[in-house]
Each structure stands twice: as C-alpha cells, then as structure tokens.
Amino acid sequence: MASQNQSYEAGETKGRTEEKTKQTVGNIGDKAQNMAQAAKEKTSDTSQAAKEKAQQMGQSTKESAQSGKDNTQGFLQQTGEKVKGAAQGATEAMKKTLGLDRNDDYNRRH
C-alpha cells in the first residue's frame, strides 16, 4: 500500500496539474479572444478603406462623365456650325448655278 506521504504527493501533483491546465486553457482563451478582436478591427479597417476607395472611384467616374459630356457638347456645336456653313455654301453654289445670285446682287444695290 501506498504510504500516506505518497498519497499526499500524488494529491499535490494532481492539484498542480489541474491548476496548470486551467491556466493554460485560460491563456488560450485570452489569446483566441485577442486574435478575434484583432481580426474584427482589421476587417473594419479594410471595409472602411474599401468604402473610401469606392467613393473616390465614384467621384472620379462622375468627373470623367462630366468631362466627356462637356467635350461632346463642344464637338456637337462645332459639327453643327460646320454643317450650317456647308449648307450655306451649297445654297450659294446652287443659287450661282441657277443664276439666282444675280437677284441678290440686284436686291442689295436697290
């Protein structure tokens, strides 16, 4: 039979082992909680950065669209003026061909 001293030492060892196990489990829990919090913060930071980038891209797209619109309006205005000038030139050429330009000269003189 085991002596009373051996039983006492076994109980002490068991107690220390249980205490050490509780500490280790507690440390693991704390580390897991810290890692979860860090991951949550990183996700939040990444989400905010993505949101800001999307806003910047949206603003850039809006500005590009406005610039394109402005350029298109200028182009259409120039094209309209060229077409108008070409139509006037064609009208004058047709009048000259048909001899109608003489009436214009006559009307301007009188």
Side-chain angles (χ1 to χ4, degrees):
M1 283 212 141
S3 71
Q4 193 173 13
N5 191 30
Q6 288 174 329
S7 293
Y8 176 79
E9 287 178 5
E12 282 285 311
T13 301
K14 181 181 176 188
R16 282 194 300 267
T17 302
E18 287 175 355
E19 183 61 29
K20 197 68 164 166
T21 301
K22 287 179 184 177
Q23 287 177 353
T24 301
V25 169
N27 288 341
I28 290 171
D30 290 345
K31 287 181 182 179
Q33 194 173 21
N34 290 341
M35 289 175 65
Q37 182 63 31
K40 181 180 175 184
E41 290 171 2
K42 181 71 174 173
T43 300
S44 177
D45 292 347
T46 301
S47 175
Q48 183 63 29
K51 181 180 174 183
E52 290 172 4
K53 186 68 173 175
Q55 288 174 338
Q56 290 171 353
M57 290 174 66
Q59 183 64 31
S60 176
T61 300
K62 181 180 175 183
E63 290 170 1
S64 293
Q66 183 62 43
S67 176
K69 180 181 174 185
D70 294 344
N71 289 341
T72 300
Q73 287 174 342
F75 173 77
L76 291 176
Q77 183 176 1
Q78 289 176 355
T79 302
E81 290 172 3
K82 287 179 183 178
V83 169
K84 182 179 174 183
Q88 287 175 340
T91 300
E92 293 301 318
M94 184 61 84
K95 283 182 178 180
K96 192 172 195 172
T97 301
L98 297 175
L100 298 175
D101 63 333
R102 292 184 201 119
N103 288 339
D104 288 343
D105 289 339
Y106 178 79
N107 287 337
R108 279 187 228 140
R109 282 189 240 150
H110 296 298

